Amino acid sequence: MLTKWLRKILPGKQPAAPSHKQVLPLAEHGITPDAISYAAEKVVSRLHQAGFEAYVVGGAVRDLLLGIEPKDYDVATNARPEQVRKVFRRSRIIGRRFQIVHVMVGPETIEVTTFRGGKRPARQNEHGRIMQDNSYGSMEQDAARRDFTCNALYYNPERQEITDFHHGVADIRAKRLVMIGDARSRYQEDPVRMLRAARLSGKLGFQVAPDTAAPIAECLHLLPKEPLARLFDEVMKLLFSGAAADCLKQMQALGMSGKTVHPLLACALERLPENQGRGIVSLALGSTDQRLRDDMGVSVGFVLAAVLWPQVRETWQRELANGRNSAHALSIAVGEMRAQMEKGWGVPHRFTASMREIWQLQPQFDHRRGARPFRLLAQPRFRAAYDFLLLRARAGEADQAVADWWTAFQEADEEQRKQMIQKAEQRPAAEGDAPAKKRRRRRKKKPAGEQAGAAQVAPQDGAAE
């Protein structure tokens, strides 16, 4: 009731999130300076030496409390962006809505933000989304402006203390995801927080607090109004979170329709339960999660190709049924998917190009005669397309014998490859693999002198007739 009354008399402002400041010593949290990266510690130390406050903040502190090695580190300080820029030679100021500084230390990039103020953001649109926000304030005000309590923790490596304003440590230990302040207004300020709620709860195994989950369904209409690049970036974070399937299930649990959020998520959500989790989408996401857990590289184009493949395959099969050959049918299917993606999906060209190449090479694996296997092996995108063939075979939609043949062909030497091709030529031809044509005998050309003589004789013969 008090919140509603305040909204009526102060329509432009929201009541500040209540603060319950706690300072936890090392004995209560167990994080030592050795646990954080050298780059993060150096940035904090240099800012302290320059006379500023500085803390490791956000997800890195949360992950350390959970025993997870952080992928990246953020630092919060009372220094303004231009002041941070002066302290670090290898740094640059970026951002429109809220300026931040990227500080490069060796191979690492540390994101440094200035404490945000508690005042109303400088500029909001008609839906309440923050368009510009460069108001600065205290650490307590900055904590109130962060999204979830688990992300509003400040670690000082010199004092080995965590400063907690919103019971974030208690929520982490209870595995609760709690929004700071009024969840509805926080989603209006930044609709992407709804996707973040699904990602964090799915990845960390947290239960979303009822007050945090309740407004999501009625605020979903705000997501399509977000800039495409920012929305696509958040979709990528979800799919490459290391727990993609769990994050997608959390979306469903929170009432988030994939069609409302982004077409890529709609495709993934629709196909996730396919073949009892043994479909190509589930296999691709599961394999990606495992590679990320093993700290191995992943290909964005490959994963997106798998997520969208069922839709491409349906069109491909339809065109095959209409009598088209395999390569032409697939070309039509790829073209239709490309036309859909160009209607505002926000997928960068480098990823769509990779996806198309992986798809269009699939029919070529059926051709194992003559010089075609060697030409396919020389393709720049062969390895990705071959891995995709293996994935299709695991999903039961490609012939395992064909996948095994290509595995052996890559490992064979030149003589063994020739023998494999000879054996393949003795078998019935695959679709589109026409039998070798008989060579036509070419007539031997007569010597130049004979040709000239024939040319001279011809008119005489004709004249005689």
Side-chain angles (χ1 to χ4, degrees):
M1 292 296 292
L2 177 61
T3 302
K4 291 181 180 179
W5 178 74
L6 283 170
R7 283 180 184 168
K8 288 180 181 178
I9 64 170
L10 299 172
K13 299 180 180 180
Q14 297 296 337
S19 170
H20 307 278
K21 182 178 178 179
Q22 291 180 298
V23 179
L24 285 72
L26 175 63
E28 293 189 37
H29 60 73
I31 301 174
T32 62
D34 294 339
I36 70 172
S37 77
Y38 165 77
E41 188 177 7
K42 184 176 180 179
V43 169
V44 171
S45 177
R46 287 276 301 277
L47 286 169
H48 284 172
Q49 290 170 14
F52 299 108
E53 294 180 61
Y55 304 84
V56 176
V57 68
V61 184
R62 177 201 69 218
D63 288 348
L64 288 168
L65 286 170
L66 290 167
I68 301 170
E69 184 179 351
K71 296 294 183 184
D72 47 50
Y73 287 83
D74 297 337
V75 168
T77 178
N78 63 343
R80 300 293 177 92
E82 59 275 9
Q83 292 173 318
V84 176
R85 179 74 180 83
K86 287 180 181 177
V87 174
F88 300 98
R89 181 177 57 84
R90 292 186 63 210
S91 63
R92 57 176 180 164
I93 298 174
I94 65 167
R96 293 181 180 179
R97 296 174 66 206
F98 185 76
Q99 288 188 332
I100 60 178
V101 185
H102 278 175
V103 178
M104 283 69 78
V105 181
E108 285 191 70
T109 297
I110 305 298
E111 193 171 277
V112 181
T113 60
T114 304
F115 295 148
R116 284 173 289 185
K119 297 178 181 179
R120 186 184 178 190
R123 189 159 61 89
Q124 293 175 288
N125 66 11
E126 66 275 15
H127 305 291
R129 180 180 182 270
I130 298 174
M131 304 302 292
Q132 189 176 0
D133 180 15
N134 284 316
S135 63
Y136 305 120
S138 65
M139 181 168 66
E140 184 173 353
Q141 290 172 328
D142 184 76
R145 294 292 305 277
R146 293 186 177 270
D147 47 15
F148 304 104
T149 60
C150 63
N151 291 337
L153 300 172
Y154 299 75
Y155 175 65
N156 185 329
E158 291 185 359
R159 295 184 179 178
Q160 300 183 37
E161 295 175 343
I162 288 179
T163 304
D164 180 1
F165 292 96
H166 300 283
H167 301 299
V169 173
D171 287 336
I172 289 172
R173 288 171 177 164
K175 290 190 172 293
R176 285 192 302 262
L177 191 70
V178 183
M179 180 68 75
I180 297 172
D182 178 65
R184 182 178 286 98
S185 63
R186 304 308 304 280
Y187 292 141
Q188 289 173 344
E189 288 174 0
D190 187 357
V192 165
R193 285 173 178 151
M194 291 181 277
L195 274 175
R196 206 170 295 154
R199 173 168 59 87
L200 287 176
S201 58
K203 177 183 177 180
L204 302 174
F206 281 20
Q207 182 71 34
V208 183
D211 290 348
T212 301
I216 288 178
E218 60 187 81
C219 293
L220 269 181
H221 69 281
L222 299 171
L223 272 170
K225 298 179 175 68
E226 282 294 285
L228 280 173
R230 188 160 184 263
L231 197 57
F232 178 76
D233 183 55
E234 199 63 34
V235 169
M236 290 298 97
K237 287 179 182 178
L238 190 149
L239 292 178
F240 293 88
S241 63
D246 291 330
C247 294
L248 290 168
K249 289 173 183 175
Q250 274 296 95
M251 281 185 62
Q252 291 177 318
L254 294 170
M256 301 176 71
S257 163
K259 292 180 180 178
T260 306
V261 179
H262 195 280
L264 278 170
L265 293 181
C267 293
L269 282 167
E270 182 182 351
R271 300 290 180 171
L272 200 61
E274 198 170 61
N275 297 337
Q276 296 180 337
R278 299 296 299 171
I280 194 166
V281 174
S282 294
L283 290 173
L285 294 180
S287 175
T288 301
D289 290 345
Q290 188 58 53
R291 290 181 67 86
L292 289 168
R293 285 193 289 270
D294 294 341
D295 204 22
M296 298 171 67
V298 294
S299 166
V300 174
F302 183 90
V303 175
L304 296 186
V307 169
L308 297 175
W309 173 251
Q311 194 169 337
V312 172
R313 184 172 181 268
E314 283 181 4
T315 309
W316 183 25
Q317 297 302 313
R318 182 195 71 203
E319 294 301 320
L320 284 173
N322 289 338
R324 302 187 191 278
N325 68 47
S326 186
H328 187 201
L330 185 56
S331 181
I332 292 172
V334 171
E336 286 189 13
M337 177 54 71
R338 182 178 185 177
Q340 287 185 47
M341 285 192 290
E342 288 175 350
K343 295 176 182 177
W345 285 30
V347 183
H349 175 73
R350 65 184 184 278
F351 298 146
T352 59
S354 175
M355 292 156 60
R356 290 198 303 271
E357 289 174 20
I358 289 171
W359 289 335
Q360 288 173 329
L361 287 177
Q362 294 308 299
Q364 304 305 315
F365 287 103
D366 289 331
H367 307 315
R368 291 169 284 163
R369 298 171 171 229
R372 296 183 78 166
F374 293 99
R375 289 201 298 268
L376 181 55
L377 199 62
Q379 290 283 342
R381 205 59 81 170
F382 169 81
R383 184 66 201 191
Y386 162 74
D387 288 342
F388 199 79
L389 171 69
L390 296 184
L391 191 65
R392 291 176 57 219
R394 284 179 62 198
E397 61 174 66
D399 189 347
Q400 185 63 52
V402 173
D404 293 341
W405 189 92
W406 280 99
T407 301
F409 188 75
Q410 292 175 78
E411 297 171 354
D413 59 30
E414 200 68 20
E415 185 57 36
Q416 289 171 329
R417 287 177 178 177
K418 288 179 182 178
Q419 291 174 6
M420 290 178 70
I421 290 172
Q422 286 175 357
K423 287 182 181 179
E425 287 174 345
Q426 293 169 7
R427 300 190 186 102
E431 183 193 345
D433 226 355
K437 294 181 180 179
K438 291 183 179 180
R439 290 187 177 182
R440 294 175 61 185
R441 287 187 179 180
R442 293 185 179 181
R443 284 188 175 184
K444 292 183 179 180
K445 291 185 178 180
K446 294 181 179 181
E450 292 183 21
Q451 288 181 359
Q456 290 175 0
V457 170
Q460 291 176 359
D461 290 346
E465 289 176 358

